[in-house]
């Protein structure tokens, strides 16, 4: 059974710092992995989608990498800003319609 | 995300009452999902639908029901059989292919009176 873990559960960093968020999964037979952002009381906003054949995806200050063999993905945020404060979640799918989500990392960027 | 509308934003349920949460999309996506989010837990799948007039139970379907009569709409009914319905409910959609991303609505928060 696929399990997705995100550590740490919470993180506080000063503004301007580069940071890495981690996502681990137990079954490497994934089809793709998606990173989301969730603001308090809101739905999830899709950030990046990495297919299993890809090693990384970039969007602006965000870079997500995928290492299927080790069951890990990282989300790199460059030059963090207070507006980046949110909960970041990752989700994997094995190619069916079902997704398994991690419990998220709550990020706070201090001004 | 734009294109997925969940209503109402807040909903209160009395004991023994059924309530229905609305999810409407204009993204022309075939797949639609309902998730439940509780504090400190990941999203848990309640039901999903790959196509009109077809839907499958997710991991926590007991006490919930759905219908998919139109491509654009996937309402979720929380029945009185769901003994702990207080949670944040999220609707999501995805295109027909597994290499496409999921998109989410803004959620409905359900509480017990």
């Amino acid at each position: 059974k696929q399990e997705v873990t995100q550590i740490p559960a919470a993180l506080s960093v000063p503004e301007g710092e580069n940071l890495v968020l981690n996502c681990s999964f137990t079954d490497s037979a994934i089809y793709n992995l998606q990173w989301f952002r969730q603001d308090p009381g809101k739905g999830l906003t899709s950030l990046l989608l990495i297919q299993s054949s890809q090693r990384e995806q970039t969007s602006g200050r965000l870079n997500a990498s995928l290492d299927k063999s080790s069951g890990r993905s990282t989300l790199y945020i460059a030059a963090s800003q207070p507006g980046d404060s949110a909960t970041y979640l990752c989700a994997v799918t094995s190619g069916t319609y079902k997704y398994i989500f991690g419990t998220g990392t709550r990020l706070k960027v201090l001004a | 995300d734009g294109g997925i509308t969940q209503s109402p934003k807040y909903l209160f349920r009395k004991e023994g009452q059924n309530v229905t949460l609305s999810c409407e999309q204009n993204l022309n996506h075939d797949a639609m999902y309902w998730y439940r989010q509780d504090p400190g837990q990941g999203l848990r799948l309640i039901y999903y639908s790959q196509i009109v007039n077809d839907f499958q139970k997710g991991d926590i379907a007991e006490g919930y029901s759905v219908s998919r009569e139109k491509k654009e709409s996937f309402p979720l009914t929380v029945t009185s059989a769901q003994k702990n319905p207080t949670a944040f409910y999220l609707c999501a959609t995805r295109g027909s292919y597994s290499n496409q991303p999921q998109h989410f609505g803004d959620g409905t928060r359900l509480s017990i009176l």
Side-chain angles (χ1 to χ4, degrees):
Chain A
K1 179 185 173 186
Q2 178 73 273
E3 293 182 1
V4 179
T5 303
Q6 292 186 250
I7 295 173
L11 182 64
S12 288
V13 300
E15 182 178 6
E17 189 164 300
N18 301 326
L19 60 100
V20 173
L21 305 180
N22 297 299
C23 174
S24 300
F25 45 94
T26 54
D27 185 349
S28 63
I30 65 167
Y31 195 79
N32 61 47
L33 184 148
Q34 193 168 358
W35 281 95
F36 297 90
R37 167 189 174 134
Q38 186 176 29
D39 293 292
K42 298 288 189 180
L44 279 63
T45 299
S46 179
L47 297 174
L48 290 164
L49 173 67
I50 310 180
Q51 308 297 339
S52 61
S53 58
Q54 297 175 319
R55 296 299 299 269
E56 64 179 68
Q57 280 286 334
T58 298
S59 176
R61 294 184 294 110
L62 305 179
N63 176 279
S65 67
L66 175 64
D67 184 343
K68 275 182 53 178
S69 61
S70 66
R72 290 189 61 196
S73 176
T74 62
L75 179 66
Y76 175 84
I77 302 177
S80 59
Q81 302 170 358
D84 294 329
S85 298
T87 297
Y88 291 81
L89 298 99
C90 63
V92 299
T93 179
S94 59
T96 65
Y97 282 82
K98 293 185 71 174
Y99 292 77
I100 307 299
F101 285 80
T103 54
T105 294
R106 191 169 63 253
L107 173 67
K108 187 167 186 179
V109 181
L110 305 169
Chain B
D1 284 24
I4 303 173
T5 301
Q6 288 189 244
S7 63
K9 190 172 177 62
Y10 300 97
L11 187 57
F12 298 91
R13 195 191 87 170
K14 296 180 181 178
E15 291 290 337
Q17 185 182 45
N18 295 349
V19 292
T20 297
L21 285 61
S22 171
C23 179
E24 301 280 332
Q25 57 112 348
N26 62 7
L27 300 172
N28 200 33
H29 285 170
D30 286 315
M32 296 188 74
Y33 305 77
W34 275 106
Y35 293 96
R36 171 178 172 143
Q37 187 176 35
D38 295 281
Q41 297 194 38
L43 274 69
R44 293 184 290 169
L45 182 64
I46 305 172
Y47 270 97
Y48 67 101
S49 169
Q50 301 176 30
I51 198 168
V52 174
N53 293 323
D54 184 59
F55 48 83
Q56 287 79 40
K57 292 183 179 180
D59 301 317
I60 56 165
E62 185 174 350
Y64 300 97
S65 66
V66 293
S67 63
R68 187 85 186 274
E69 297 176 1
K70 299 186 302 180
K71 187 174 186 177
E72 302 78 16
S73 179
F74 191 41
L76 173 73
T77 297
V78 184
T79 75
S80 56
Q82 173 49 245
K83 297 306 179 188
N84 184 24
T86 298
F88 191 50
Y89 290 86
L90 289 159
C91 176
T93 72
R94 199 198 73 187
S96 303
Y97 302 102
S98 298
N99 62 356
Q100 295 173 290
Q102 273 199 322
H103 299 272
F104 282 80
D106 276 343
T108 292
R109 186 164 298 280
L110 176 61
S111 302
I112 296 297
L113 283 177

